[in-house]
Amino acid sequence: MLEHETIYILAIESSCDDTSAAVLMNDKVLSNVVATQAIHKEYGGVVPELASRAHQQNIVPVVDQAIAKANIDKKQLSAIAFTRGPGLMGSLLVGTSFAKSLSLGLQIPLIEVNHMKAHILAHFIDDDSMKPPKFPFLALTISGGHTQIVQVNGFFDMKIIGQTLDDAVGEAFDKSAKILGLPYPGGPLIDKYATTGNPHKFEFPIPKVKDLDFSFSGLKTSILYFIQKQTKINPDFIENNLEDICASIQYTIITILIKKLKKAVKLTGIKEIAIGGGVSANSGIRKALVDAQTKYGWKTYVPKFEYCTDNAAMIGIVGYYKYKNEVFAKQDVTAKARYLIS
Ligand code: KG4
Ligand code: ZN
């Protein structure tokens, strides 16, 4: 284990449609630059080929900005950490190739990072507004591509104990939003409209799924049928009820998540709960997690907003811990579109 050294990590994230670079000094974030790709809005979802091209355009300026904001010189960098997967192959390739070349150029180690692990370990970023959970804890990772409950025994000891059998929570949000005619990504918009809506106005079914697994495709279908039926009766149904529909959808999703967490706590006896991933930016979910402290006696951890959606700071914190443990990647490391947490 390397101690007593100031470690500077440059981290790169390019797994989906955000190009991000961050610089960390040990476990503190000096800069965290995110370029969100607006192009996908026109298509109602992420177009992989366009994402890859936009990463190619963004990566150099984003990395330059991250280094400039951190106010360090490239020569001070100890290592380069990058997202190896999971994600879109064309997107991952841009960050992976860039990180490999820069590590060769600067003659510093390369560190590969699992994106989903990074969403979990984002809690360990040293930030005044956050406290890290204690091992072992349960992590609910909710993003556009994943929904998992992970038992986290240590930095490098994680086990998936439940996951979605079909759509991810983020997809449930985004697809519901699409049905309502809202632009991509619809998750944050559902959140926004839900704040002034009545969550009990409309009822959607809670799926019955075994063990700690999830399913969201049935919810999407039931919302679709409901909206089709109602708009046949009243073409202005969505417009007249948008806030209440959004609040009811969000309430249903939160109910599904909390129900499974309660089951996971019962099965494992672990009451330390952390959330991560883009959907943990949702204000209703954040509130439900905070309320669970008094309601169920859990200790819950909600990351700072900017460390929820895709960002390179979370890749950097994993890079820091890997660096300390001298876990480096070789130059022949390749991107992995499917990359399980282990
Ligand atoms: O982790 P993330 O940035 O990218 C993936 O790795 O997928 O997650 C993106 C997902 C999208 O589905 C987006 O709609 C959702 O996170 N999201 C939200 C909110 N902010 C982002 N969903 C609900 N409420 C939000 N406030
Ligand atoms: Zn993510």
Side-chain angles (χ1 to χ4, degrees):
M1 178 104 93
L2 296 167
E3 293 288 354
H4 313 301
E5 181 191 343
T6 304
I7 300 162
Y8 290 99
I9 304 281
L10 170 68
I12 292 164
E13 153 65 31
S14 75
S15 65
C16 190
D17 60 340
D18 294 309
T19 319
S20 181
V23 175
L24 271 75
M25 184 179 76
N26 298 330
D27 51 0
K28 281 195 164 58
V29 177
L30 298 182
S31 64
N32 184 31
V33 179
V34 184
T36 303
Q37 305 175 0
I39 180 99
H40 308 288
K41 267 206 174 85
E42 291 169 35
Y43 299 89
V46 177
V47 185
E49 175 65 22
L50 295 180
S52 173
R53 290 182 196 196
H55 283 306
Q56 296 215 37
Q57 283 177 350
N58 293 344
I59 193 127
V60 172
V62 165
V63 168
D64 274 349
Q65 248 191 65
I67 291 173
K69 270 197 178 167
N71 207 12
I72 62 154
D73 190 276
K74 273 201 275 295
K75 291 195 194 84
Q76 287 174 268
L77 291 173
S78 316
I80 297 175
F82 71 97
T83 305
R84 184 182 181 194
L88 300 170
M89 185 49 100
S91 292
L92 291 166
L93 277 174
V94 179
T96 305
S97 314
F98 186 90
K100 283 164 78 167
S101 318
L102 195 58
S103 103
L104 259 187
L106 295 173
Q107 289 289 302
I108 53 174
L110 188 62
I111 299 167
E112 60 93 13
V113 175
N114 179 305
H115 180 92
M116 295 313 292
K117 256 187 199 174
H119 271 306
I120 295 171
L121 296 182
H123 285 276
F124 292 87
I125 290 172
D126 183 0
D127 190 295
D128 290 345
S129 67
M130 283 165 30
K131 248 177 66 186
K134 288 180 203 75
F135 298 119
F137 64 91
L138 297 178
L140 174 70
T141 49
I142 40 183
S143 74
H146 293 83
T147 302
Q148 298 173 334
I149 300 179
V150 183
Q151 182 171 329
V152 188
N153 300 317
F155 286 111
F156 305 108
D157 180 2
M158 304 185 185
K159 196 175 147 215
I160 298 170
I161 56 172
Q163 58 191 319
T164 184
L165 304 174
D166 41 58
D167 290 352
V169 189
E171 278 177 286
F173 270 107
D174 296 339
K175 288 178 180 173
S176 305
K178 202 170 182 175
I179 296 168
L180 299 176
L182 299 173
Y184 178 86
L189 292 169
I190 294 206
D191 189 358
K192 187 179 131 199
Y193 293 118
T195 50
T196 46
N198 173 5
H200 305 292
K201 180 80 178 279
F202 305 109
E203 203 172 314
F204 299 108
I206 305 288
K208 287 191 178 59
V209 189
K210 66 166 181 49
D211 306 326
L212 297 176
D213 290 336
F214 299 89
S215 165
F216 288 99
S217 70
L219 175 64
K220 173 191 62 193
T221 313
S222 75
I223 293 168
L224 177 67
Y225 289 164
F226 170 76
I227 294 295
Q228 282 176 343
K229 194 172 143 201
Q230 295 298 328
T231 47
K232 238 184 226 158
I233 305 165
N234 170 14
D236 297 329
F237 178 77
I238 295 177
E239 207 183 312
N240 295 346
N241 297 279
L242 188 60
E243 284 90 354
D244 292 343
I245 303 169
C246 288
S248 301
I249 292 172
Q250 188 164 298
Y251 175 79
T252 310
I253 292 176
I254 295 171
T255 305
I256 294 169
L257 296 175
I258 295 289
K259 198 174 152 205
K260 286 291 169 166
L261 275 180
K262 279 167 85 173
K263 201 167 182 181
V265 169
K266 202 170 165 197
L267 282 171
T268 61
I270 299 170
K271 290 185 173 179
E272 293 264 316
I273 319 276
I275 55 168
V279 185
S280 53
N282 182 274
S283 60
I285 293 174
R286 294 171 87 84
K287 185 175 179 303
L289 260 285
V290 173
D291 292 349
Q293 305 212 81
T294 42
K295 229 169 156 182
Y296 310 121
W298 302 348
K299 277 206 83 174
T300 58
Y301 302 84
V302 178
K304 200 174 172 179
F305 194 79
E306 66 208 69
Y307 303 138
C308 290
T309 43
D310 288 350
N311 69 90
M314 67 181 195
I315 306 301
I317 193 70
V318 183
Y320 167 70
Y321 282 104
K322 282 197 156 183
Y323 187 93
K324 284 217 304 185
N325 286 280
E326 297 175 73
V327 184
F328 301 123
K330 295 206 185 96
Q331 262 296 328
D332 63 358
V333 62
T334 52
K336 260 178 123 163
R338 278 181 53 82
Y339 189 6
L340 286 180
I341 283 180
S342 56

